[in-house]
Amino acid sequence: MALVSDATSGEGSGADAGANRTVQAYNDLRALLLSGHYEPDSRLTESDLTTRLGVSRGTLRSVLARLAQEGYVTAEAHRSARTRSFSVDEALEILETREVLESALAASAARRATDADVEAMTRTCERMWECQVPGGRDEYQMLNRRFHEQIRETARHATLSRFVDSLLYPLVMQQYRHVGRAYPRTDSVKEHEAILATIATRNPEAASAAMKHHLSAARRDLELQFAEPADL
């Protein structure tokens, strides 16, 4: 089936409809990248993506250009792209930076949390415990992301949130998830509950420390896995 031209549409003006399709295609492809649908350093071809996203080549090129500018993909010759791949040093820097930023978000959340915010995070933690069973990994991952999103929403700090978005740490986690201890870690829910307790008691300093302790686990695993052998 031929694609509808981006310059025409039955919904509103052609320019508005084209802009809406571009935004939707950007959001859809970004979500696929963040979900781990594509392996690191995978080639993304125009023919596959135009079919998957239902857009023209011109729209796709605009989307890929934006994603390349934001660091989600790397542009290649002949109008193709590859998913990002991170060296160990790059991954460690990103995870370390995430610790700093999300620790600050946790402190802000502790200062600004409402009772409704705390109740919502409590329900998420309760569901995370329920997912500690065979076959519960995918839902646990979703709940883990949701818990951190709830902290960001509770923090109400737009500047910190923008910096966190720019880190692309979900791509790092997808690439290196196989490294180190099993996922999810057995202590993960307890660490989430510790963060929640500090937010519920409106203790910013403790919230920052609890978040840093929680996020440092992934970085420590990566450091240990790729540490140089000690000289004999």
Side-chain angles (χ1 to χ4, degrees):
M1 179 182 296
L3 293 171
V4 176
S5 169
D6 289 333
T8 61
S9 172
E11 298 179 9
S13 71
D16 289 344
N20 290 338
R21 273 194 297 276
T22 301
V23 170
Q24 185 61 54
Y26 166 83
N27 289 334
D28 289 345
L29 183 52
R30 179 176 177 273
L32 285 171
L33 294 169
L34 291 175
S35 72
H37 179 81
Y38 297 102
E39 292 293 322
D41 200 33
S42 295
R43 187 166 179 264
L44 302 172
T45 62
E46 284 191 354
S47 58
D48 173 68
L49 291 177
T50 52
T51 300
R52 180 180 296 276
L53 301 174
V55 295
S56 70
R57 289 178 181 269
T59 295
L60 177 63
R61 289 167 191 165
S62 296
V63 169
L64 288 176
R66 179 178 173 185
L67 289 169
Q69 185 178 29
E70 294 174 352
Y72 289 91
V73 302
T74 55
E76 290 192 321
H78 309 299
R79 295 172 177 173
S80 64
R82 284 188 177 275
T83 56
R84 277 289 300 275
S85 179
F86 300 88
S87 69
V88 173
D89 287 341
E90 287 175 321
L92 289 172
E93 287 183 3
I94 288 170
L95 294 179
E96 185 175 15
T97 305
R98 183 195 178 195
E99 289 174 34
V100 174
L101 295 177
E102 290 211 31
S103 294
L105 280 171
S108 181
R111 286 190 291 267
R112 299 179 176 179
T114 65
D115 289 344
D117 293 326
V118 172
E119 289 173 7
M121 285 185 277
T122 299
R123 289 193 295 271
T124 300
C125 284
E126 290 171 349
R127 289 179 60 195
M128 291 173 80
W129 277 117
E130 295 170 359
C131 292
Q132 302 294 297
V133 295
R137 174 175 175 147
D138 288 345
E139 185 174 0
Y140 183 92
Q141 286 181 273
M142 180 273 292
L143 293 169
N144 180 52
R145 290 193 298 270
R146 181 59 189 144
F147 183 82
H148 285 270
E149 288 169 0
Q150 287 172 325
I151 290 177
R152 290 175 61 177
E153 292 164 2
T154 301
R156 299 172 179 85
H157 199 304
T159 301
L160 282 172
S161 292
R162 283 199 304 273
F163 282 127
V164 170
D165 282 337
S166 71
L167 288 178
L168 307 179
Y169 71 85
L171 300 183
V172 173
M173 299 303 292
Q174 290 291 345
Q175 181 175 342
Y176 288 100
R177 180 150 285 162
H178 67 286
V179 174
R181 61 182 77 167
Y183 182 88
R185 295 179 296 106
T186 54
D187 291 336
S188 181
V189 183
K190 293 179 182 178
E191 292 167 9
H192 284 90
E193 288 188 327
I195 296 167
L196 173 58
T198 63
I199 293 173
T201 56
R202 309 326 195 252
N203 189 330
E205 292 76 15
S208 177
M211 179 63 80
K212 184 172 179 60
H213 171 75
H214 171 59
L215 294 181
S216 66
R219 177 176 54 80
R220 289 197 304 270
D221 283 344
L222 196 58
E223 287 176 326
L224 291 172
Q225 183 71 15
F226 291 97
E228 292 293 333
D231 293 333
L232 297 177

